[in-house]
Amino acid sequence: MTAIDSPSHVSAQVPAPRRRRGLRGIGFHLVMAPLSALWIAPMVFVVLVAFRSFADITSNGLGALPASFSFDGFTTVFTQALAGGALINSAVITAFTVFFSLLLASWAAFALSRYEIPFRRGLLLTMLAGNLLPPQILLIPVARICDSLGIADTLFALILVQTAFGLGFYTFVLHGFMRSIPGEIFEAAKVDGAGEIRTYLRLVLPLCRPSLAALAALATTWVWNDLLWALTVLRTETKFPITAELLNIQGGFVSQWNVVAAGAVIAALPTAAVFLIAQRQFVSGLTLGSNK
Amino acid sequence: MTATLGAATTTGATTRLPRRRGRLKRVPPVIWAFLILPFAFEIALVFWPAVNSFYIALTKWNGAGAPEFIGLKNFANLATDPVFGQALGNTVIWMVGFGGASIVIGLCLAVALNKPRRFVGLYRGAIYLPMVFSLAVTGLFWRLLYQPEGAVNTVLGSIGLGSLEQQWLADPNTALYAVLIAAVWRQCGYIMVLYLAGLKGIDPTLEEAAAVDGATRWQRFWRIVMPQLRGVNTVVIAVTVIDSLRTFDIVWAMTRGGPYNSTQLLSTYMYQTSFSTVDLGYGSAIAVVIFLLAVVFIIGYLVRASREED
């Protein structure tokens, strides 16, 4: 929590009127400090429960302050619930989906942003619209398509489906960014005899690195956090990602709250890590396009 | 996946490219491939399935054999289905409660944390953090908190509000709101990010001038700041409604629609009828209703996105 620095844009703002500043400042912190604490409290509680022993929870109650410190919850999660490899599944799904989404999106965005494609705006908005559809309208047919292609219940199918569904948004954002690259750069590349693929690889991708990084941070958390597509496409529990496996933990370790809490903490850690390491990219990803 | 369109937050004061400059007249074949591959992929796995749902909604189908065409009968049945009625009502409560609370709190937080001050980064980080957790994780966190002996009841008891202690998720009267609070806790950070970006784009000199003219903080906020946030408001509302209609994971993780359908939303009911009862025609009909509720906001969103484009 301490590695957080405020994003860059805080510098050039209205200088607050200096009068009564001390008093108001205290009032501000009197409100914000407890509020932030309240926001963090649920996480602290879950972490505390995760490190308590089962005996402590049963005898002192779930809401009591910890009277024990134990890794039992984590050990149980790793040796029993996650023995099927849910974390690895999640990592595989996330890595491939993020890679393919950004690859395909960067192709489409490059074509739409730099060439006179007929109806390019309509095509772009159509692609974006696909990402705005409620997934419910896709679930049944997608499950049937996976069946008929013989890829139902595979990680491959889940990667395909998630890539297709996210594509529109990434294309839209990358398109906005690529449009803002000055045309002279492309003309110069053309004069130098660079072909389309060379331009894409040597010019567009490097220039788009900031937005690709931001989208990658965002997409990683989104794909990692998915539950609905996993439930729709997958049936075999050993193929489940961590989100779906969590629900099994909840059902399989009823009232063993230290185990449930440990599972939730383990599932939350990777995305929390992405956020803490790449907060700037993450936050700017959410508002990409607004400051192009 | 959230319906994030952070992308359209402020009206672009973009440096416009001279038209046609930098775009090549002829479209080379490889560029067509660059466009058609992703587009065909999206058509095959997004648009084609979506169109199919509309047809399946007009059939009776249990997944085996051929679907039997029954016209609008599924929709007629929905109209008299009490569970559907409850799910629809809950979805409306969810949209208003989840949307209203997270927008108001997110906006207030953005205004409070907009200016640089000591600890602002820390406060922001605290509010942001829940947004990176999956809804399934959020659901489990709050399930723990809401247990009869969990933190919520313990805290209530220790501050002398023991009379309010209850079985939050087991009581049909409180379950929906209990889940809603958990969802709002996670969403506020996201809304705050969008408004912070919007506030960054507004002209500070206007507010300064109004302050010199003696406008109160309250007047400055409503007369000067809010009108400039109109674009962000559109995005925030569209995103919130679209998100509300898709809400599934958190309810599934916390209550699965129970007790007695008190937390049943259209999305969870759709999932149950489709994958537990395996009444695919009826499930598709619910999906079509969800789509129809979302479509106005999707179009609103797209209109804004296209205005942004050029």
Side-chain angles (χ1 to χ4, degrees):
Chain A
M1 284 307 310
T2 41
I4 289 156
D5 52 347
S6 42
S8 53
H9 59 269
V10 287
S11 44
Q13 290 290 341
V14 202
R18 296 280 155 190
R19 297 169 291 134
R20 294 184 304 141
R21 178 134 196 260
L23 199 67
R24 273 234 315 275
I26 290 170
F28 172 76
H29 292 292
L30 280 181
V31 175
M32 283 316 299
L35 195 68
S36 304
L38 191 69
W39 233 260
I40 293 173
M43 303 177 230
V44 174
F45 174 72
V46 173
V47 171
L48 288 180
V49 172
F51 283 107
R52 291 172 66 189
S53 70
F54 182 58
D56 172 22
I57 294 174
T58 36
S59 56
N60 297 326
L62 181 61
L65 288 173
S68 60
F69 182 84
S70 116
F71 289 102
D72 289 356
F74 291 93
T75 328
T76 313
V77 169
F78 275 115
T79 54
Q80 297 180 34
L82 296 182
L87 279 172
I88 297 167
N89 294 340
S90 277
V92 169
I93 297 165
T94 307
F96 280 100
T97 306
V98 172
F99 176 77
F100 284 119
S101 306
L102 294 185
L103 181 72
L104 289 174
S106 68
W107 289 355
F110 177 48
L112 287 170
S113 62
R114 310 302 324 181
Y115 294 89
E116 294 286 348
I117 309 263
F119 308 111
R120 47 157 224 97
R121 201 208 278 203
L123 287 174
L124 180 70
L125 290 178
T126 308
M127 290 189 79
L128 177 60
N131 182 248
L132 298 176
L133 291 175
Q136 282 75 22
I137 196 106
L138 311 176
L139 295 185
I140 294 172
V142 161
R144 306 302 300 183
I145 290 172
C146 291
D147 276 339
S148 59
L149 292 178
I151 54 170
D153 196 21
T154 60
L155 297 189
F156 176 67
L158 186 54
I159 291 165
L160 282 189
V161 169
Q162 289 219 68
T163 303
F165 191 64
L167 203 49
F169 175 70
Y170 307 129
T171 304
F172 181 76
V173 172
L174 285 174
H175 172 271
F177 189 82
M178 289 182 196
R179 290 275 286 177
S180 69
I181 302 173
E184 288 79 3
I185 297 182
F186 289 89
E187 269 158 24
K190 208 190 172 196
V191 170
D192 290 347
E196 289 76 29
I197 295 188
R198 214 181 133 84
T199 310
Y200 167 78
L201 287 176
R202 294 292 174 79
L203 204 60
V204 174
L205 285 188
L207 284 173
C208 286
R209 208 182 287 154
S211 22
L212 285 171
L215 282 179
L218 265 190
T220 302
T221 61
W222 284 342
V223 177
W224 182 277
N225 287 343
D226 161 74
L227 172 69
L228 185 54
W229 291 114
L231 291 180
T232 306
V233 173
L234 302 175
R235 253 146 251 151
T236 315
E237 294 193 356
T238 50
K239 294 177 185 165
F240 277 1
I242 182 78
T243 41
E245 187 57 37
L246 259 188
L247 301 193
N248 286 345
I249 295 176
Q250 189 187 338
F253 296 88
V254 178
S255 78
Q256 294 191 44
W257 293 114
N258 58 334
V259 180
V260 175
V265 169
I266 292 167
L269 273 181
T271 48
V274 168
F275 174 72
L276 291 178
I277 294 166
Q279 190 193 3
R280 192 167 297 221
Q281 279 82 356
F282 186 87
V283 170
S284 79
L286 287 173
T287 57
L288 260 182
S290 64
N291 45 5
K292 54 180 174 185
Chain B
M1 184 161 304
T2 18
T4 315
L5 270 204
T9 33
T10 51
T11 358
T14 322
T15 42
R16 285 271 169 264
L17 298 171
R19 282 195 78 77
R20 303 198 177 265
R21 258 294 245 342
R23 297 229 241 130
L24 315 174
K25 270 263 148 66
R26 194 179 59 88
V27 181
V30 64
I31 293 302
W32 279 116
F34 268 12
L35 174 66
I36 289 169
L37 270 169
F39 196 63
F41 191 49
E42 199 180 342
I43 288 180
L45 282 171
V46 177
F47 293 110
W48 171 241
V51 171
N52 265 294
S53 276
F54 285 92
Y55 173 69
I56 300 173
L58 303 175
T59 67
K60 186 175 172 54
W61 193 27
N62 64 4
E68 177 199 339
F69 187 81
I70 55 166
L72 294 172
K73 201 159 164 249
N74 284 324
F75 294 93
N77 290 341
L78 280 180
T80 56
D81 177 351
V83 181
F84 175 77
Q86 178 150 24
L88 185 63
N90 286 344
T91 303
V92 172
I93 295 177
W94 187 273
M95 257 195 279
V96 175
F98 169 79
S102 49
I103 290 176
V104 170
I105 298 173
L107 177 60
C108 290
L109 287 170
V111 170
L113 298 178
N114 184 33
K115 290 174 186 161
R117 278 186 173 187
R118 193 178 298 182
F119 301 135
V120 157
L122 207 63
Y123 298 148
R124 280 189 192 173
I127 314 282
Y128 287 158
L129 195 55
M131 127 181 113
V132 303
F133 300 144
S134 66
L135 284 158
V137 164
T138 308
L140 278 203
F141 274 26
W142 285 81
R143 250 185 92 87
L144 278 157
L145 289 158
Y146 283 132
Q147 285 311 304
E149 289 200 322
V152 172
N153 279 346
T154 309
V155 168
L156 283 177
S158 66
I159 58 173
L161 292 172
S163 57
L164 291 177
E165 285 181 36
Q166 50 198 302
Q167 303 236 33
W168 299 98
L169 293 176
D171 181 344
N173 294 317
T174 54
L176 182 65
Y177 300 97
V179 178
L180 199 139
I181 288 174
V184 168
W185 174 71
R186 181 178 179 276
Q187 185 79 356
C188 286
Y190 173 47
I191 303 289
M192 180 172 85
V193 169
L194 294 184
Y195 275 120
L196 279 173
L199 289 171
K200 191 168 97 177
I202 72 176
D203 182 358
T205 53
L206 284 177
E207 216 193 330
E208 262 170 29
V212 171
D213 289 346
T216 64
R217 281 174 75 84
W218 190 247
Q219 285 171 327
R220 274 180 283 157
F221 177 74
W222 284 108
R223 302 278 173 80
I224 296 181
V225 177
M226 270 317 260
Q228 294 187 78
L229 289 177
R230 253 188 27 224
V232 194
N233 284 329
T234 318
V235 173
V236 165
I237 290 170
V239 164
T240 308
V241 171
I242 294 169
D243 267 355
S244 309
L245 286 168
R246 346 177 125 172
T247 305
F248 168 84
D249 298 10
I250 194 164
V251 176
W252 203 248
M254 288 178 82
T255 60
R256 306 224 164 175
Y260 308 109
N261 295 313
S262 60
T263 57
Q264 196 75 267
L265 298 179
L266 290 177
S267 56
T268 54
Y269 190 44
M270 183 271 162
Y271 188 84
Q272 274 180 2
T273 37
S274 310
F275 297 100
S276 310
T277 331
V278 201
D279 191 345
L280 299 181
Y282 203 57
S284 296
I286 303 171
V288 167
V289 172
I290 297 175
F291 171 79
L292 293 176
L293 290 173
V295 76
V296 179
F297 296 91
I298 294 177
I299 292 172
Y301 193 86
L302 289 173
V303 166
R304 214 190 123 65
S306 88
R307 219 182 288 155
E308 197 92 345
E309 256 332 291
D310 30 27

